[in-house]
């Protein structure tokens, strides 16, 4: 029986001593090499490309005796039609690794979902409005997806935007022979479902003070993280992964690393007196240096605290503060509070402070005027309108 071996550096097909074939990337050029034995001699040649999915197919075919390997410089046969599985394999090898860990995990899950729904052998060029609509109906009903449960239109929108991004990338990318992977995006221009009135809860001052009060009885890391989230407006994912090398207590600044930011934008922001006091408390509790985490994991001080623990902290604090559970009130509600508290600041300044990529995102998803701000605006207008005696 043929035996197949897969790992990150090479791919082998066939049987030892009979038709063993191995493909692997050349460490110098990156071009994929193919290796086999002939009359007791080990031979290897360059395939002349870096397409890992294509190289594995060539190895399988060569080992099965269907065809010989096509070496670099030889006449090139007409390529096989691109399948959805092959496109995802190429994208996963070349694009996904450059993204953040959370994005990589999502993309692997999304690819598996689309392959199961549309079929591995489905040609991307044949996708249409009917497939688009069919996926939306199935996802809403919970008939497709890792959870097996119905999801919101916002989740469906996120899934379809990823699929469209892969197809757009294929339209701009060529193989080693200069041919476009995909001539055009068949789903271009189709509308994604929009969730009406999404739950974007903004934490109130009273709720923050209640959480801050109970944080005194909890893990010091929760208190410090809570203050930093309130004072810097950054995501908890970026906060919990801070290292002491990112903190400059003398200059009163924090460096936010690109790999921990959703936007991939590295930037540095000043901190308030409250944030500085929280960081000094963290220094007393955890006197690390260099790349030591500001919020070390309980079981391993070399690693940052996990997302699940940060989520548990919030849930526990909310219960102790006797706050009624509310969908959407979590760490991110502090980011919305930050954007709304600084509504009177220029949007450019606010985006730099909070690490937002565009002002449009702030306006659409984060800022929300409360009743006091609306009344104050009307009062200011009234003062301007009434002439002084």
């Amino acid at each position: 029986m043929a035996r197949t071996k897969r790992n990150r550096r090479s791919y082998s097909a066939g049987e030892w001593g009979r038709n063993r074939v191995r493909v692997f990337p050349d460490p110098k050029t990156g071009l994929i090499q193919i290796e086999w034995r002939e009359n007791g001699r080990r031979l290897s040649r360059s395939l002349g490309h870096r397409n890992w999915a294509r190289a594995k197919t060539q190895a399988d075919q060569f080992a099965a005796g269907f065809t010989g390997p096509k070496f670099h410089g030889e006449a090139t046969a007409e390529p096989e039609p691109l399948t959805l599985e092959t496109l995802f394999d190429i994208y996963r090898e070349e694009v996904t690794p450059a993204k953040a860990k959370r994005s990589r995990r999502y993309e692997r899950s999304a690819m598996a979902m689309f392959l199961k729904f549309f079929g591995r052998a489905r040609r991307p060029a044949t996708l249409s409005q009917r497939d688009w609509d069919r996926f939306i109906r199935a996802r809403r009903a919970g008939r497709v997806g890792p959870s097996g449960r119905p999801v919101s239109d916002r989740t469906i929108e996120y899934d379809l935007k990823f699929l469209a991004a892969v197809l757009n990338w294929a339209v701009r990318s060529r193989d080693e022979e200069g041919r476009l992977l995909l001539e055009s995006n068949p789903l271009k221009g189709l509308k994604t479902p929009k969730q009406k009135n999404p739950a974007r809860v903004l934490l109130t001052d009273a709720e923050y003070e209640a959480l801050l009060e109970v944080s005194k009885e909890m893990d010091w890391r929760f208190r410090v993280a809570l203050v930093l989230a309130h004072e810097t407006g950054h995501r908890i994912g970026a906060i919990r992964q801070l290292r002491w090398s990112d903190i400059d207590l003398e200059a009163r600044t924090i460096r936010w690393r690109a790999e921990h930011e959703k936007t991939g934008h590295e930037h540095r922001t000043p901190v308030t007196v409250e944030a500085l006091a929280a960081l000094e408390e963290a220094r007393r509790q955890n006197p690390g240096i260099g790349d030591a985490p500001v919020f070390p994991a309980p079981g391993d001080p070399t690693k940052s605290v996990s997302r699940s623990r940060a989520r548990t902290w919030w849930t526990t604090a909310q219960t102790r503060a006797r706050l009624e559970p509310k969908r959407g009130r979590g760490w991110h509600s502090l980011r919305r509070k930050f954007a709304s508290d600084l509504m009177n600041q220029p949007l450019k300044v606010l985006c730099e402070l909070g690490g937002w990529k565009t002002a449009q995102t702030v306006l659409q998803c984060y800022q929300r005027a409360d009743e006091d701000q609306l009344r104050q605006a009307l009062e200011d207008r009234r003062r301007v309108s009434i002439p002084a005696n």
Side-chain angles (χ1 to χ4, degrees), residues 70-301:
K70 186 65 66 177
F71 300 128
H72 184 47
E74 293 184 10
T76 305
E78 192 67 23
E80 296 180 3
L82 181 72
T83 65
L84 198 59
E85 181 179 30
T86 301
L87 175 57
F88 281 158
D89 280 345
I90 298 172
Y91 191 89
R92 184 167 47 241
E93 291 283 342
E94 299 183 8
V95 182
T96 302
K99 300 185 179 182
K101 183 178 180 180
R102 187 177 180 183
S103 295
R104 295 197 302 270
R105 186 166 55 247
Y106 164 74
E107 290 189 358
R108 287 193 295 268
S109 175
M111 288 178 193
M113 174 180 65
F114 284 122
L115 287 176
K116 183 177 181 180
F117 186 76
F118 293 123
R120 296 180 178 276
R122 182 67 183 270
R123 293 168 58 185
T126 66
L127 294 172
S128 68
Q129 174 86 59
R130 292 180 64 196
D131 297 301
W132 184 270
D133 294 340
R134 189 163 56 91
F135 175 81
I136 292 174
R137 290 194 298 269
R139 195 80 164 102
R140 278 176 178 159
R143 295 194 302 270
V144 63
S147 68
R149 297 191 298 270
V151 299
S152 66
D153 281 351
R154 189 176 182 185
T155 299
I156 299 172
E157 178 187 12
Y158 193 69
D159 294 336
L160 290 175
K161 282 187 174 181
F162 168 67
L163 177 61
V166 174
L167 297 177
N168 285 333
W169 176 84
V171 170
R172 300 189 302 270
S173 303
R174 297 179 182 271
D175 63 16
E176 285 69 20
E177 304 301 328
R179 293 179 293 249
L180 288 171
L181 295 179
L182 198 60
E183 291 294 333
S184 63
N185 181 352
L187 303 179
K188 184 177 181 180
L190 298 186
K191 293 183 179 180
T192 57
K194 301 291 183 182
Q195 184 171 351
K196 296 179 181 180
N197 303 319
R200 291 174 178 150
V201 177
L202 185 151
L203 197 73
T204 66
D205 286 330
E207 289 171 336
Y208 173 67
E209 291 299 330
L211 292 172
L212 195 61
E213 182 64 29
V214 299
S215 70
K216 299 174 183 178
E217 309 162 5
M218 296 176 58
D219 193 314
W220 66 267
R221 290 168 297 184
F222 169 67
R223 179 175 177 81
V224 174
L226 181 67
V227 173
L228 289 183
H230 182 267
E231 298 299 317
T232 69
H234 278 71
R235 296 177 177 84
I236 186 59
I239 292 171
R240 67 181 177 79
Q241 296 185 87
L242 284 171
R243 303 276 172 166
W244 282 114
S245 56
D246 301 324
I247 311 298
D248 190 332
L249 292 176
E250 292 186 6
R252 294 172 57 179
T253 61
I254 295 177
R255 177 184 63 163
W256 304 95
R257 303 192 186 195
E259 60 265 32
H260 301 148
E261 286 290 310
K262 185 178 179 180
T263 59
H265 170 55
E266 181 165 317
H267 56 289
R268 192 180 299 270
T269 62
V271 296
T272 62
V273 173
E274 291 81 2
L276 187 65
L279 287 169
E280 288 173 343
E281 178 184 348
R283 173 69 83 183
R284 290 192 296 271
Q285 297 281 355
N286 172 40
I289 59 173
D291 268 351
V294 176
F295 301 95
D300 187 351

Side-chain angles (χ1 to χ4, degrees), residues 34 57-70:
I34 187 165
T57 299
Q58 289 176 296
D60 288 335
Q61 292 175 342
F62 188 37
F66 296 144
T67 180
K70 186 65 66 177

